[in-house]
Amino acid sequence: MVRGGSATTGPTLAVVAREAGVSVPTASKVVNGREDVAPETRRRVTEALDRLGYVRRPRFEASKPPRMVDLVVHSLESSWSGAVLHGVEQAAHDAGLEVVVSAGLSRTGGARPERGWFDKLIARGSAGVLFNLAELSPAQYAWLGQHRVPFVLIDPVLEPPPGVVSVGAANWQGGMTATDHLLALGHERVAVIAGYRRKMCSSARVAGYRSALMAAGVPYRPEYVRYGNFMETTAHHRMLQLLDLPEPPTAVFVCSDRMALGAYQALAERGLRIPDDISVVGFDDLPEARWASPALTTVRQPLSEMASTALRLLAGMMEGDRPEGTRTELSTRLVERASTGAPRSA
């Protein structure tokens, strides 16, 4: 039942306040992201906003569209985010756009932005959004569609809904390339340490690993596949588990450079030398790969290029263009350094 407003303007803030049982000023505080609101009150207002489909009107004239976009990243503390920022900054400069960067939007530490951030997006009049490693809920996808906010996903965590535009790397090919490299050196006992099992990039890289084994006629061994969470500490633990197997691997493909550093630590603790005792391949080609000792052989993921491609796609969508396809994949390539070699028995 429509309780106020109109089909074109939607419910007013007064209607939202009445629905939530609060005053209009209190409802306004929640919409504007003010912190001086009790958690229970904020919850009631937020639920009323979602239930009624309230739209916060941007403070700009339709005849003068803003030249500002938002970039949402999980954290600003990693070299991964630095590479993404570099790509977005350069492409935004070329397109004459300003960028607002948001990080760590979830109070729970997850990858999903909270409702208050979406209200602020409309309030400041951003014309589009780039989400990097964000995990959006069905309700948030619906909110973006309802408010007609153009957006592009950079390396989406999960498979996006149909029609959602995303940019990523050729993860399956990268996993196959890494494994092929180790097989070509003579390794047959090749393990993989992956990230989250449900994440798109993890499943694709492991699938590439399995395809390479199959193509080479090397049996797949389930005990050689270990999932984690892209953190060094978890990779350290997974590497120790692999070393404790009755027949440990002679090579390991680690699905991120950051995790590879954790594997390095575990191997050092066991007194094993890289690559004399075991070969290691990473994924990403972050600066850490070059700084590691020995320097890490890795699969280069074109992070800055992914980000700049996403920004250009978003800029076109802001002008009313629609990409020919919803998924853009950029190629990966092996960067061979000092962490891989032939197995001792070869």
Side-chain angles (χ1 to χ4, degrees), residues 22-247:
V22 301
S23 66
V24 173
T26 297
S28 177
K29 288 181 180 180
V30 175
V31 169
N32 287 290
R34 293 270 297 274
E35 300 296 330
D36 53 337
V37 180
E40 176 60 21
T41 301
R42 183 183 300 278
R43 181 190 65 78
R44 294 205 314 271
V45 174
T46 299
E47 290 179 353
L49 290 167
D50 290 335
R51 189 162 55 248
L52 296 174
Y54 175 81
V55 178
R56 172 64 186 269
R57 296 303 170 191
R59 298 172 182 170
F60 55 84
E61 296 296 329
S63 60
K64 296 180 180 179
R67 303 300 295 170
M68 179 171 64
V69 298
D70 272 62
L71 168 65
V72 180
V73 296
H74 183 61
S75 169
L76 291 175
E77 298 177 354
S78 67
S79 51
W80 167 289
S81 295
V84 169
L85 285 169
H86 175 75
V88 169
E89 179 185 31
Q90 183 60 55
H93 178 269
D94 294 342
L97 296 170
E98 298 292 333
V99 180
V100 176
V101 180
S102 301
L105 296 178
S106 172
R107 292 186 179 91
T108 63
R112 181 171 293 170
E114 294 183 344
R115 168 65 201 240
W117 178 84
F118 286 89
D119 292 326
K120 291 178 182 178
L121 174 74
I122 293 296
R124 63 176 165 261
S126 285
V129 190
L130 297 173
F131 292 103
N132 178 220
L133 295 176
E135 183 179 341
L136 302 181
S137 69
Q140 289 170 339
Y141 279 120
W143 188 98
L144 290 162
Q146 176 189 359
H147 293 72
R148 299 183 180 180
V149 177
F151 67 98
V152 177
L153 307 182
I154 305 172
D155 195 17
V157 175
L158 304 176
E159 183 73 33
V164 171
V165 178
S166 66
V167 178
N171 289 296
W172 180 88
Q173 186 63 52
M176 190 167 187
T177 299
T179 311
D180 278 341
H181 171 67
L182 294 170
L183 294 170
L185 290 171
H187 295 278
E188 294 188 353
R189 304 203 313 262
V190 180
V192 59
I193 300 177
Y196 292 103
R197 184 186 297 267
R198 66 190 182 94
K199 192 177 179 191
M200 283 181 61
C201 68
S202 293
S203 59
R205 292 170 196 175
V206 173
Y209 158 84
R210 294 190 64 171
S211 295
L213 294 180
M214 182 180 298
V218 175
Y220 169 72
R221 300 173 62 160
E223 69 272 21
Y224 278 1
V225 180
R226 305 285 166 150
Y227 288 91
N229 58 4
F230 288 107
M231 302 297 290
E232 297 100 320
T233 53
T234 303
H236 172 269
H237 182 61
R238 298 292 183 267
M239 188 72 250
L240 292 177
Q241 291 176 334
L242 289 169
L243 294 176
D244 288 336
L245 291 172
E247 191 173 29

Side-chain angles (χ1 to χ4, degrees), residues 26 35 39 48 58 113 121 127 150 193 228 232 246 255 279 286 311 319 327 338:
T26 297
E35 300 296 330
L121 174 74
I193 300 177
E232 297 100 320
C255 289
S279 290
L286 299 176
L311 189 284
E319 299 298 327
R327 171 71 175 180

Side-chain angles (χ1 to χ4, degrees), residues 271-283:
L272 298 175
R273 296 171 298 167
I274 304 171
D276 296 343
D277 299 312
I278 186 167
S279 290
V280 181
V281 176
F283 200 106

